[in-house]
Amino acid sequence: MDIKAKKLHFIQEVLALTNEKVIDKLESLLKREKLKKAKNTSAHDLLGVMTKDEARDMKQLWK
C-alpha cells in the first residue's frame, strides 16, 4: 500500500470512530510527533524556507 492509500485508509478509520477518548489519544499522538519534528529543526534549517504564517503556526505548537 502506498502512502496516499495509507493516509486515505487512516482518515476513513478516524472518521468512523465514535469513541471520543480514542480521538483524543490520536490527536495527542499527532501533536507529540509534530513537536518532536519541530524540536529537531533548527532556526538555521528554516531560514528562508518558512513563511510568516508557518512561523506563527509553529510558535502555536510550542504553547
Side-chain angles (χ1 to χ4, degrees), residues 6-57:
K6 287 176 90 169
K7 287 180 184 181
L8 181 58
H9 179 72
F10 182 77
I11 290 168
Q12 290 170 334
E13 292 292 321
V14 170
L15 289 173
L17 290 173
T18 57
N19 185 330
E20 192 170 347
K21 287 183 180 182
V22 173
I23 295 169
D24 290 343
K25 287 181 181 182
L26 289 170
E27 183 180 32
S28 177
L29 174 64
L30 182 59
K31 285 180 182 179
R32 279 196 314 269
E33 290 301 315
K34 282 184 174 183
L35 282 175
K36 280 185 197 176
K37 184 177 180 187
K39 287 180 181 179
N40 291 330
T41 303
S42 72
H44 186 269
D45 293 333
L46 301 173
L47 190 60
V49 175
M50 291 180 73
T51 66
K52 287 182 181 179
D53 289 337
E54 290 169 330
R56 184 195 67 240
D57 292 344

